[in-house]
Amino acid sequence: MHLVKTTCEELKMDMIPALFIDHGQHYDETYKMVDEIPKECSFKAIYARNDDALSKVKNNVIHVRASHIS
């Protein structure tokens, strides 16, 4: 983030948003950091999370049922 922030400042650009991909296995400290750093550094964090897929994860295994296999 420091490199991006410095480059944006040098080019007199607005800070670009950062994409946080939530795969459901982050530490609480990671979520806290993703909430705090954008406020401190004046940029937007975009959260990407697929709740439908994450609802199928149990004990680090994804359980899906194939409707058919070709």
Side-chain angles (χ1 to χ4, degrees):
M1 290 308 308
H2 176 73
L3 178 62
V4 173
K5 185 174 189 289
T6 302
T7 302
C8 288
E9 288 171 354
E10 289 176 2
L11 296 175
K12 297 181 179 14
M13 295 173 53
D14 291 334
M15 182 68 173
I16 61 173
L19 178 63
F20 175 69
I21 300 173
D22 185 355
H23 51 69
Q25 296 181 332
H26 295 288
Y27 295 107
D28 291 339
E29 293 84 356
T30 303
Y31 291 109
K32 184 178 176 185
M33 179 187 71
V34 172
D35 286 337
E36 292 175 356
I37 290 179
K39 294 173 190 171
E40 294 171 7
C41 296
S42 301
F43 69 91
K44 180 180 178 181
I46 299 170
Y47 292 80
R49 179 181 175 105
N50 186 332
D51 289 320
D52 184 49
L54 291 175
S55 70
K56 294 170 178 44
V57 176
K58 292 178 181 56
N59 299 321
N60 288 331
V61 176
I62 299 173
H63 299 271
V64 295
R65 184 180 314 158
S67 57
H68 69 282
I69 298 175
S70 310

